[in-house]
Amino acid sequence: MGSAVNALTTDGDEFWLFGYGSLIWKPPPHFDRRIPGWVTGYVRRFWQLTSSPSCPALHSQDHRGTPEAPGRVVTLLERDYWASLTDHHEHAPDRVWGVAYRIRPDRVAEVKDYLDIREINGYTIHYTAFHPAPPTAASAPSSTNEQHPHAYRDGATIQTLVYIGTPDNDQFTGPQEPQALAAHIHKSVGPSGRNIDYLFNLNQALEELSPESGDEHIRDLAQRVRAIIAAEESRGHDTQAELPETSGEFQKVASTEQQEEIEKTVPGS
Ligand code: SIN
């Protein structure tokens, strides 16, 4: 990938990033637009290992497990490839909901350095057409997506960059039995926090994006993990209770330095 800023523009003169996992509630620095919407042609699955650094867009600092016991995070699979697999979860809607961020034009070069645009830790860079969701009462102007109503043009798409852990990377797990996957997420903890917080934060973020953005694969896993926790509690032994909970609250940062600082100091940030 070239180092010229121009090589980073994804849509005309603009640079847009699509987030489908933790990027939904952990934005990149220096964005000036955040738009809920969807991409097509993919299926979101919790089939990527994380023990070492994960998504480069998070500055490679999301560790939800340890090298001995890697946690799990989501990745996107190409729909045709997914259809060739035997998956316990059949639900795979056409629309994969997430958020597109536009990076401020004067900060693209800086964010480029932060994003570390290259293939790393099993993640590869892809470009995909993002469909902005029509503005609704729920997505009306707020402090984080105040530009949303103006960005929407009926049917128009935005070309976005997206990081995907493809099946040929060695952190890709392939199909997982849901109950075993839920049990694994329940027990995994890493330097970035509890794997269950990643799951619960993602589930909540997706439920909140739009009335139709909830993801059955994620929702089912969250329900299974809650059931495991409830069963532990009823036995008086909640193994995750002593660990600090990590917030899924949307956290806008002012600089790449501040983002790096948060990643170093806040568990699960
Ligand atoms: C993303 O959010 O777009 C990448 C996957 C993740 O880090 O959760």
Side-chain angles (χ1 to χ4, degrees), residues 18-24 54-55 58 73-74 123 162-163 198:
F18 175 63
Y20 57 89
S22 49
L23 270 177
I24 299 174
S54 67
C55 180
L58 297 169
V73 291
V74 288
Y123 282 87
V162 59
Y163 283 97
Y198 176 99

Side-chain angles (χ1 to χ4, degrees), residues 17-196:
L17 184 65
F18 175 63
Y20 57 89
S22 49
L23 270 177
I24 299 174
W25 72 94
K26 283 199 283 187
H30 301 312
F31 70 93
D32 61 3
R33 289 190 178 180
R34 177 183 185 269
I35 309 177
W38 65 87
V39 300
T40 59
Y42 294 101
V43 177
R44 177 173 23 225
R45 286 294 180 261
F46 237 97
W47 293 356
Q48 179 83 356
L49 295 178
T50 174
S51 57
S52 58
S54 67
C55 180
L58 297 169
H59 210 245
S60 309
Q61 292 297 326
D62 201 279
H63 303 60
R64 300 289 169 160
T66 60
E68 302 74 43
R72 301 285 186 274
V73 291
V74 288
T75 186
L76 296 184
L77 285 81
E78 288 191 2
R79 178 165 288 276
D80 288 349
Y81 174 73
W82 173 80
S84 73
L85 304 170
T86 306
D87 185 357
H88 299 79
H89 277 158
E90 284 176 7
H91 192 261
D94 250 10
R95 298 179 175 184
V96 175
W97 279 81
V99 162
Y101 293 100
R102 189 182 79 159
I103 305 301
R104 277 175 48 184
D106 59 321
R107 299 294 193 145
V108 168
E110 183 187 333
V111 172
K112 172 219 165 259
D113 285 343
Y114 167 83
L115 289 177
D116 198 3
I117 302 285
R118 63 191 161 103
E119 299 182 2
I120 189 168
N121 301 315
Y123 282 87
T124 52
I125 289 167
H126 301 250
Y127 294 90
T128 190
F130 172 82
H131 300 255
T136 62
S139 65
S142 73
S143 58
T144 54
N145 66 357
E146 62 278 1
Q147 306 288 350
H148 174 205
H150 311 292
Y152 174 72
R153 299 189 309 279
D154 198 10
T157 59
I158 299 169
Q159 193 67 2
T160 57
L161 182 151
V162 59
Y163 283 97
I164 295 177
T166 50
D168 55 2
N169 87 86
D170 58 14
Q171 314 243 45
F172 181 75
T173 65
Q176 304 276 287
E177 197 284 306
Q179 191 58 28
L181 177 55
H184 189 90
I185 292 169
H186 173 251
K187 70 172 191 224
S188 297
V189 182
S192 294
R194 310 185 301 180
N195 208 177
I196 59 171

